[in-house]
Amino acid sequence: MSDAKWIMQLQAVLDCPVREHKLPIEDWLLLSNEQGRHQNDGLQKPKTNAVTIGDYVSGAEGAIWFALEQEADQVHVLEVNRQPFSEMELRLIGWTASQILADRSKHYEGMTESERYARELGTWIDEQLDASEPKLLLPDRLISRGRLFSSMIPFLLVCEQSEPNGESFGELEKLLRTFLAEEVLIIPLKDQEWLILGPASLINDAQSGERDEEDEESLEESLASIAFGLHEMLESEWIGECHLAVSHPLSPANSIVGTTALLRETVHLGRAFHIGSNIHLPWLLHLERLLNTIPEPHRIKFVEQALKRTDAFLDPEILTTLETFFSLDCNVSETAKKLYIHRNTLLYRLDKLKQETELDVRQFRDAVLVKIILLLYKVTKRA
């Protein structure tokens, strides 16, 4: 059971606020020793200066603090805000915390510290994404163990095949540190899904290549370039077919949940509306995000009503022509060049489509309508 789940369950049982935070170890030991001298407090008297999981002291404003974990010069504590507790209740809560944390330690046996931290962080993110009221800020115990205040580039990797074995985390970590940078952070999420945080300095590296001033890359172009390179490396050297989404740099401590949700939605939209594409960029999927909110029956009805012949787009040649035409901003000359056909051949195809559908994609209004129909048709024809 994850920390978040058992703490939420404990909060429900006790019917009072329960939260985590951390204290300097000096403060914890001072309170422990001071309160241990007062027998009437009814609190547990510490035997040594070491922190034992499940120990408890009276905290600020009547709260009770239970020790969860000692890390360097800090103690992670569970704060329970309800009074009064009997001595037996205090001992029972402390014992419960120690048993659950002992079980968690067994679950992570054999893992390196970096993998253990990454899996704890991934479990917490998954829980927030599944929750009806997710927490957007990371808890202190996870922030203090990571490098989560630096600006980092978030990638979401979704593999087509299951994680082959427990050693894949180490293999992926080694591969990404070689390709991206040493400070990369890999976070396993659900099966076949990984959140990768790379340093923001990658953008400067991508933009520092030799090029004319007029050809300077935008932030989005640099991110897309990094994503294409990363995807190519992953497919060829590690996992085979996979999908990759990337977003703007973020400070993980403040926005990792919202950004992960955005990347997960981006991969979903990319797979639904752009079959055959494995790189998905959220800033290019605004229209798809809007269309995805339309109920399936309404999509089908719209496509049927918009076309006189519903099989107009089944012609692979027309489909390829339109996708290329739209990807090049409706530029006839560039589209003909890209398709290796004569300009007049392209115009003939567009005229043919106009005759069959009464939609002229060289006109803005019809182009927008055809673009929407094309996106919806690709989704509804698989329904």
Side-chain angles (χ1 to χ4, degrees):
M1 185 189 303
S2 69
D3 287 1
K5 281 187 176 178
W6 75 261
I7 290 173
M8 289 176 62
Q9 291 180 357
L10 181 62
Q11 180 170 282
V13 171
L14 297 176
D15 191 24
C16 67
V18 176
R19 71 182 184 96
E20 292 180 79
H21 66 101
K22 57 188 176 182
L23 297 173
I25 193 168
E26 293 85 358
D27 293 352
W28 172 269
L29 294 176
L30 180 65
L31 287 169
S32 295
N33 288 316
E34 182 179 294
Q35 294 174 16
R37 289 194 293 270
H38 299 285
Q39 299 297 321
N40 293 334
D41 284 348
L43 295 172
Q44 190 176 7
K45 182 179 180 179
K47 296 178 181 178
T48 68
N49 283 338
V51 177
T52 301
I53 306 304
D55 278 356
Y56 46 87
V57 299
S58 290
E61 299 179 355
I64 302 296
W65 291 338
F66 294 85
L68 296 181
E69 184 179 11
Q70 180 179 348
E71 182 181 295
D73 57 352
Q74 294 183 324
V75 181
H76 294 264
V77 300
L78 188 70
E79 182 178 277
V80 180
N81 282 286
R82 198 196 78 178
Q83 290 283 13
F85 281 110
S86 68
E87 177 69 14
M88 181 179 294
E89 289 173 325
L90 291 171
R91 289 183 178 180
L92 182 59
I93 296 172
W95 177 82
T96 302
S98 65
Q99 292 301 304
I100 290 176
L101 293 176
D103 289 342
R104 188 188 66 180
S105 297
K106 291 179 182 177
H107 178 71
Y108 293 120
E109 281 182 356
M111 296 182 184
T112 63
E113 180 57 31
S114 64
E115 181 174 0
R116 173 180 170 175
Y117 170 66
R119 292 192 180 277
E120 287 184 49
L121 183 54
T123 299
W124 184 86
I125 294 171
D126 266 334
E127 289 174 350
Q128 303 314 311
L129 293 176
D130 292 337
S132 57
E133 297 180 3
K135 298 176 182 176
L136 300 181
L137 300 179
L138 281 169
D140 290 342
R141 64 180 176 80
L142 292 176
I143 290 177
S144 62
R145 293 162 59 193
R147 307 176 301 277
L148 302 178
F149 283 108
S150 303
S151 181
M152 306 186 83
I153 304 173
F155 303 89
L156 185 69
L157 170 65
V158 179
C159 305
E160 289 291 350
Q161 58 187 19
S162 300
E163 187 178 334
N165 53 57
E167 297 178 355
S168 59
F169 178 90
E171 295 170 2
L172 181 60
E173 184 180 50
K174 182 179 179 181
L175 194 62
L176 291 176
R177 286 186 171 178
T178 302
F179 186 80
L180 295 177
E182 277 295 318
E183 54 265 46
V184 69
L185 179 59
I186 307 163
I187 305 170
L189 298 175
K190 295 183 182 298
D191 290 342
Q192 305 168 246
E193 192 180 60
W194 308 73
L195 179 64
I196 301 168
L197 299 177
S201 59
L202 292 170
I203 297 172
N204 295 330
D205 296 341
Q207 294 177 337
S208 63
E210 295 183 3
R211 59 176 59 87
D212 297 334
E213 291 185 2
E214 294 181 357
D215 296 332
E216 185 176 352
E217 280 189 346
S218 66
L219 172 61
E220 285 79 10
E221 289 172 335
S222 297
L223 292 172
S225 176
I226 296 168
F228 274 95
L230 177 59
H231 177 265
E232 184 177 357
M233 184 276 293
L234 289 169
E235 275 206 339
S236 62
E237 298 191 25
W238 189 65
I239 199 64
E241 185 173 359
C242 60
H243 294 261
L244 190 70
V246 63
S247 187
H248 296 103
L250 78 159
S251 174
N254 301 318
S255 55
I256 197 169
V257 175
T259 300
T260 305
L262 172 66
L263 292 173
R264 189 173 280 177
E265 180 192 42
T266 298
V267 172
H268 168 73
L269 293 173
R271 297 174 77 169
F273 286 94
H274 299 284
I275 296 174
S277 177
N278 295 79
I279 309 295
H280 310 294
L281 308 171
W283 52 86
L284 296 183
L285 296 173
H286 297 304
L287 181 57
E288 289 81 350
R289 186 172 294 110
L290 176 63
L291 297 180
N292 193 53
T293 62
I294 301 174
E296 184 65 29
H298 293 182
R299 296 178 189 172
I300 296 174
K301 184 177 180 181
F302 175 81
V303 172
E304 290 177 347
Q305 291 179 342
L307 297 174
K308 285 188 175 180
R309 294 179 52 186
T310 55
D311 61 348
F313 294 105
L314 289 177
D315 184 351
E317 185 177 74
I318 291 295
L319 187 62
T320 302
T321 299
L322 289 174
E323 289 182 337
T324 307
F325 185 65
F326 289 132
S327 71
L328 295 171
D329 296 328
C330 303
N331 186 306
V332 173
S333 298
E334 291 297 322
T335 302
K337 184 178 179 182
K338 180 78 172 180
L339 293 173
Y340 300 103
I341 60 177
H342 193 277
R343 176 187 172 90
N344 290 338
T345 304
L346 174 61
L347 294 176
Y348 168 77
R349 291 180 186 176
L350 298 182
D351 287 339
K352 181 182 177 184
L353 180 69
K354 180 182 177 182
Q355 291 175 0
E356 294 181 347
T357 65
E358 296 183 358
L359 295 172
D360 184 358
V361 292
R362 288 161 290 189
Q363 302 295 322
F364 176 77
R365 179 178 177 179
D366 286 353
V368 172
L369 188 56
V370 171
K371 176 69 175 178
I372 292 174
I373 294 169
L374 201 61
L375 287 170
L376 291 179
Y377 184 79
K378 286 192 292 184
V379 177
T380 56
K381 73 178 182 180
R382 299 197 302 274

